Amino acid sequence: MPQLAYVNGHILPLADASLHVEDRGTQFGDAVYEVCAVMNGRILDWQQHLVRLRRNLGELGITLGIADGPLTQQARRLIAANGHSECIIYMQVSRGTAKRDHSFPGGAPANLVMTVRRFDFAQRIRQLETGIAVITQPDNRWGRVDIKTTGLLPNVLAKQAAKEAGAFEAWMVAKGDGGETVREGSSTNAWIVKDGRIITHPTGTEILPGIARDSLIRLAREAQLAVEERPFTLAEALAADEAFLTSTTAPILPVVRIDGQAVGNGHTGPVVRRLAELTWKEVARQTGWRA
Ligand SMILES: Cc1ncc(COP(=O)(O)O)c(C=O)c1O
């Protein structure tokens, strides 16, 4: 069966799916997106993704002429049409197609595209044993990285640097008065554990408010674990007992090396194991999916 995509109300073979060359997403990165996990054919944390998408559209003044109900139906229709029960769905909304000009075009409707890709979530559970390595890269992004735009060039370059270094992710680090602050990964949120306390950068304009991050904070607090939302430095991360990252496509992965240096004893620690248990139990509760 060929892969299918959604473009402005139509489902068609991925190979035939396209936007106009003057789509503003292509020319200006004038677009926002979401990536959602689908397990057992159900979309995880769908409402939270919708809320974030609407907020981002609002921040940029992009009008998407489709309400949440029909949008949900179209997303489900595309997932069903592709026939994968474990996959990710990518949704992108640009300001539309118009003659190239920086200022907003009047009256151009937004372009909505969606694609679906099969995804092996069970590999993330296997990776809990081995853990993953991260490197650090300077955070040279713009000042509103809380908005999930397709303008991802710094993230792309950071991820490529990680790949070339044999690491899974790059942690973006900003120089400040108190040392180098770890903000987040190129496509994941960053966490450390010290003396049983779970620490992650606060939301604001300096990180993307990850849906997986938010879920993990809620699950940890419900389990009476201490969570601190505060900036932490690279020195703290290197001296942490444990570290990990979260995202839609990597709900929780232990970080066992930072820039080649072992975190704690260099193996998956007890707090990350407990948080992984909580995370995957929540996935099963929402979707019925088990590895
Ligand atoms: C920069 C950045 N931070 C964090 C995340 C994690 O967000 P979520 O948990 O919503 O996938 C992403 C996801 O793509 C990201 O691009």
Side-chain angles (χ1 to χ4, degrees), residues 33 49 52 141 148 155 184-189 208 210-213 246-248:
Y33 73 103
H49 283 280
R52 185 170 66 183
R141 298 174 296 165
K148 198 166 169 64
N155 310 55
E184 62 180 332
S186 69
S187 64
T188 57
N189 287 111
L208 183 85
I211 304 296
R213 173 190 179 281
T246 57
S247 76
T248 294

Side-chain angles (χ1 to χ4, degrees), residues 45-103:
D45 296 327
W46 175 242
Q47 280 309 316
Q48 291 89 324
H49 283 280
L50 273 183
V51 168
R52 185 170 66 183
L53 177 67
R54 294 286 174 198
R55 176 195 174 260
N56 290 333
L57 291 168
E59 287 292 320
L60 299 182
I62 296 175
T63 305
L64 175 61
I66 174 170
D68 284 356
L71 177 59
T72 304
Q73 275 174 3
Q74 299 289 12
R76 289 195 182 135
R77 193 159 76 96
L78 183 68
I79 292 163
N82 272 287
H84 309 313
S85 57
E86 274 77 64
C87 57
I88 51 176
I89 181 163
Y90 174 83
M91 309 163 56
Q92 177 183 303
V93 184
S94 81
R95 198 182 302 278
T97 302
K99 179 170 68 68
R100 188 177 182 281
D101 183 11
H102 287 62
S103 58

Side-chain angles (χ1 to χ4, degrees), residues 133-206:
V134 302
I135 60 161
T136 56
Q137 288 284 289
D139 190 354
N140 51 12
R141 298 174 296 165
W142 75 315
R144 290 302 308 275
V145 298
D146 55 311
I147 307 173
K148 198 166 169 64
T149 80
T150 59
L152 289 172
L153 192 51
N155 310 55
V156 165
L157 297 177
K159 187 76 96 187
Q160 180 61 21
K163 187 175 170 186
E164 286 171 14
F168 179 88
E169 178 59 300
W171 277 6
M172 322 270 280
V173 166
K175 278 208 170 67
D177 296 340
E180 291 181 304
T181 301
V182 177
R183 286 187 169 152
E184 62 180 332
S186 69
S187 64
T188 57
N189 287 111
W191 308 69
I192 57 170
V193 181
K194 186 70 180 175
D195 300 328
R197 305 186 76 77
I198 300 159
I199 303 159
T200 195
H201 196 289
T203 54
T205 53
E206 292 169 340

Side-chain angles (χ1 to χ4, degrees), residues 235-249:
E236 278 185 277
L238 291 169
D241 301 324
E242 302 178 43
F244 61 100
L245 53 79
T246 57
S247 76
T248 294
T249 57

